[in-house]
Every structure is written in structure tokens, then in C-alpha cells.
């Protein structure tokens, strides 16, 4: 520090970061590089099967539902929260949408249902997801119960409710129009409808998080909820809205899943919550809150998907896939801790 003419002390300005320091701090860039390396490696290993239009199309379709879940999860984790219930809320939403269309169809068969009934099913699915999100948000924000406990409880309750409604048996009378349009339809030169829906949700999430007051409040609460409260932000209200949005996206994902598989797939989403969390964290969103981006989430979600698809095509035992994803996840959290320590020392 140096003295000025009036006797005060000036703190010397910190040197501007070098290009290498800026590059090293660009977590999204490095995660993107990992994704590119994986894609190139599998393309070299199986040039006849992996880098094809069909493989890319199926990869995008299979990742669409998980991406919609992960966009909502991004907001939750940025607030320093967690949502373990998204996979089961997806199941519950798909079940009540399917059952509603079935109950209102002649003979209990929704296979030939029209667009009016399909739209009603969509509304029911969104409402079901929003209801669970509202419950989670209220218990976290108002009852001050840790998000881990709240959403773990919702995990079991949503799955149990879905099994009670169906008797544990998947519903398979899904409207043909829904499957042929959203499930398998394409637009704009062969882009699957499911991918377009996921892209729209992603763009909406990016706009909301990075350009609006809602997004700024989300970052502020994740950095310090008490500081945000003192700054005049209604922290409780905002947390309820964040969990409500995550639940609504889970409801939409449930309807997308119903359209693609033509069944409620009750037993097929046991790890969706962990996959969504892994994708978000791998993409650079900090589990400690206050840091994250939608672009990082998109890249992070595709890394496990590329690994899974690449291992299958390359003939590598699928048991290696969770091991590889776990390694990438641990590395991402380790990198985040190093970045936080470096920031705290400044």
C-alpha cells in the first residue's frame, strides 16, 4: 500500500489476469473440450457406426428428456439446493397424464384419442410436476427443512403415488397421434420434435438465468441467502418459484417420455435424478451455489450420453459407463473446489 497526498492509503491494483489464467478459469471451455475429445475418440474407434446421422439423431433424442430435467436442476443447484425427486416426479406426471387420457377415452383405450385429450394430458402432466415442485419449495423455504431431506421424501412419495394409481403396472394406451408427432415426428429437415422441445426449454432457461432479474436473484441467493435477504430479495418466495419450475420441467419431461416410449416406464428412471445432478455439476455448476450456466449444463449432460452411446457401439461393457461418469463427476467437483479456494485467497 502507498500513501496519498491526504495521508490515506491506496491498495495497489491487482494485476490483470493473463490469457492463460483466463483460459484456465473457463470451466465451460474445458468441459466442452472433454466432450469433443470423447466424440472424436469414439469416432476413431468405430468410424463406420459412431459418426453417423442416425447415431447423432438417437443420441439427441435419448438426451432430450434428461436435458429438460437438468435445466430445472441447474436453477436449484445454483441456489445451493438439490432436488432428488425429479426422476420420480417425471414418472408420476407421466402416469397421471396417461391415466387421465385413458379414463376419458371410450372403452378406456386412449390409442385413438384426439388432440384435445392429448393437450389435456399435457396440462395434467405439467400440473402434477408443478404440484410436487410447490410442495418441495414450500418445505424448503418456509419449513426450513434441508432440501436433501425434503426431496428425498418426495422421491419416495411420488413413486409410491404413481404405483398406487397404476397398481405397479405400466400404462400402455398412449395416443397414436402423440407418439407419431412428439414421440417420433421430425421438423426442419429431420430434427426430432423431442429435440426441438428440449432446445426450446434450454433457450428459455438460458434467457431466464442469464438476462433477467429472476436469474440474478437465483445467483444472489446461492452466493449468500442472508445477504440476498438483506438486499431486499424475497428469498422464500424465490426458492418456492425455483422448485416449482424444476417440478414443472419434470412434468414436461414425463410427457415427453410418455410420447417416446409409449408407456409410463415406471421402473426405468431410478437414476434420472443422479444423472441430472451429475450433468449439471460436470457442466460447472457449483454444489455450493452461486455459480453455474445453462451452456455448461448442456455440455455436461451430453458427456454421460456420449460415453453411454460410445461404449455400446464400441463394444465396451456397459458396466464401465457409470465408472467413467463417476470419475468425470469427481474431477468436476474437485476442480470446483480448487477454483473456490483460489477465489477465496484473492
Amino acid at each position: 500500500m502507498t500513501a496519498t497526498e491526504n495521508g490515506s492509503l491506496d491498495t495497489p491494483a491487482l494485476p490483470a489476469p493473463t490469457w492463460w489464467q483466463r483460459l484456465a478459469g473457463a470451466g465451460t471451455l474445458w468441459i466442452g473440450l472433454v466432450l469433443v475429445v470423447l466424440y472424436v475418440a469414439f469416432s476413431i474407434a468405430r468410424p463406420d457406426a459412431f459418426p453417423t446421422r442416425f447415431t447423432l439423431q438417437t443420441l439427441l433424442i435419448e438426451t432430450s428428456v434428461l436435458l429438460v430435467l437438468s435445466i430445472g436442476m441447474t436453477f436449484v443447484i445454483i441456489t445451493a439446493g438439490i432436488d432428488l425427486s425429479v426422476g420420480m416426479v417425471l414418472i408420476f406426471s407421466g402416469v397421471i397424464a396417461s391415466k387421465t387420457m385413458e379414463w376419458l377415452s371410450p372403452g378406456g383405450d386412449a390409442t385413438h384419442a384426439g388432440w384435445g385429450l392429448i393437450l389435456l394430458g399435457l396440462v395434467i402432466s405439467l400440473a402434477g410436476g408443478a404440484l410436487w415442485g410447490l410442495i418441495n419449495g414450500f418445505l424448503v423455504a418456509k419449513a426450513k427443512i434441508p432440501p436433501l431431506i425434503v426431496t428425498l421424501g418426495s422421491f419416495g412419495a411420488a413413486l409410491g403415488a404413481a404405483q398406487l394409481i397404476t397398481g405397479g403396472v405400466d400404462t400402455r394406451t398412449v395416443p397414436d397421434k402423440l407418439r407419431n408427432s412428439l414421440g417420433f415426428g421430425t421438423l426442419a429437415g429431420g430434427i426430432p420434435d423431442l429435440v426441438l422441445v428440449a432446445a426450446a426449454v434450454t433457450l428459455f432457461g438460458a434467457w431466464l438465468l442469464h438476462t433477467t432479474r429472476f436469474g440474478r436473484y437465483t445467483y444472489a441467493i446461492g452466493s449468500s441467502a442472508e445477504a440476498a435477504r438483506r438486499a431486499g430479495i424475497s428469498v422464500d418466495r424465490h426458492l418456492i418459484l425455483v422448485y416449482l419450475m424444476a417440478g414443472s420441467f419434470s412434468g414436461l419431461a414425463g410427457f415427453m417420455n410418455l410420447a417416446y416410449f409409449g408407456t409410463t416406464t415406471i421402473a426405468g428412471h431410478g437414476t434420472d435424478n443422479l444423472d441430472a445432478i451429475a450433468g449439471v455439476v460436470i457442466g460447472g455448476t457449483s454444489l455450493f451455489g452461486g455459480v453455474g450456466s445453462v451452456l455448461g449444463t448442456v455440455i455436461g449432460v451430453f458427456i454421460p450420453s456420449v460415453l453411454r452411446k460410445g461404449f455400446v457401439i464400441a463394444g465396451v461393457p456397459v458396466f464401465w459407463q457409470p465408472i467413467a461418469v463417476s470419475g468425470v463427476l469427481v474431477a468436476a467437483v474437485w476442480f470446483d473446489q480448487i477454483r473456490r479456494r483460489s477465489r477465496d485467497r484473492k
Side-chain angles (χ1 to χ4, degrees):
M1 292 186 293
T2 59
T4 61
E5 293 180 358
N6 60 9
S8 62
L9 295 177
D10 281 340
T11 302
L14 294 174
T18 65
W19 68 270
W20 173 251
Q21 289 172 327
R22 289 195 296 268
L23 184 63
T28 302
L29 174 64
W30 290 110
I31 296 300
L33 183 60
V34 170
L35 180 60
V36 171
V37 169
L38 287 174
Y39 191 88
V40 171
F42 286 124
S43 296
I44 293 174
R46 287 297 307 272
D48 59 322
F50 192 80
T52 64
R53 177 177 177 178
F54 175 77
T55 299
L56 178 61
Q57 192 176 54
T58 54
L59 178 65
L60 291 173
I61 292 173
E62 291 168 0
T63 310
S64 295
V65 172
L66 181 60
L67 180 57
V68 171
L69 290 178
S70 300
I71 296 300
M73 187 71 75
T74 301
F75 283 80
V76 171
I77 294 181
I78 288 177
T79 65
I82 202 75
D83 191 346
L84 299 178
S85 68
V86 291
M88 300 305 103
V89 172
L90 179 156
I91 293 173
F92 175 83
S93 300
V95 163
I96 61 173
S98 177
K99 280 297 184 180
T100 298
M101 292 186 289
E102 183 180 276
W103 290 333
L104 295 178
S105 296
D109 185 358
T111 304
H112 303 293
W115 285 113
L117 196 55
I118 292 173
L119 289 176
L120 177 61
L122 173 60
V123 171
I124 293 296
S125 185
L126 291 172
L131 176 61
W132 283 109
L134 185 63
I135 293 172
N136 289 338
F138 182 84
L139 292 176
V140 169
K142 295 295 187 180
K144 306 302 180 185
I145 303 174
L148 179 69
I149 302 302
V150 169
T151 58
L152 184 60
S154 298
F155 176 100
L159 176 60
Q163 291 172 329
L164 283 172
I165 293 172
T166 62
V169 180
D170 282 314
T171 300
R172 301 181 183 277
T173 58
V174 177
D176 290 337
K177 288 183 178 180
L178 177 60
R179 300 205 67 197
N180 295 332
S181 55
L182 180 60
F184 299 107
T186 60
L187 289 173
I191 301 176
D193 291 350
L194 283 174
V195 175
L196 293 175
V197 172
V201 171
T202 301
L203 290 174
F204 171 77
W207 168 79
L208 188 65
L209 181 62
H210 299 294
T211 67
T212 69
R213 181 182 300 174
F214 187 89
R216 292 193 296 272
Y217 286 1
T218 301
Y219 282 113
I221 292 170
S223 297
S224 174
E226 183 58 31
R229 187 175 287 107
R230 292 182 180 182
I233 298 174
S234 178
V235 174
D236 291 353
R237 176 178 177 274
H238 192 86
L239 285 175
I240 291 173
L241 291 176
V242 166
Y243 282 93
L244 175 64
M245 182 176 67
S248 299
F249 283 169
S250 298
L252 176 59
F255 195 75
M256 294 167 64
N257 179 79
L258 191 66
Y260 183 65
F261 289 103
T263 178
T264 47
T265 59
I266 294 176
H269 301 278
T271 63
D272 279 10
N273 53 348
L274 299 180
D275 290 342
I277 293 169
V280 172
V281 174
I282 290 172
T285 298
S286 175
L287 284 170
F288 302 98
V291 175
S293 70
V294 170
L295 176 59
T297 293
V298 173
I299 298 173
V301 165
F302 271 98
I303 287 179
S305 298
V306 169
L307 281 171
R308 186 181 299 110
K309 178 68 70 175
F311 283 165
V312 170
I313 292 178
V316 178
V318 294
F319 307 110
W320 281 103
Q321 191 264 335
I323 297 175
V325 172
S326 298
V328 175
L329 175 61
V330 171
V333 175
W334 176 69
F335 179 80
D336 177 53
Q337 289 182 322
I338 291 177
R339 182 171 55 186
R340 287 175 59 85
R341 294 193 196 105
S342 176
R343 183 183 62 190
D344 292 342
R345 284 196 296 266
K346 292 180 180 180

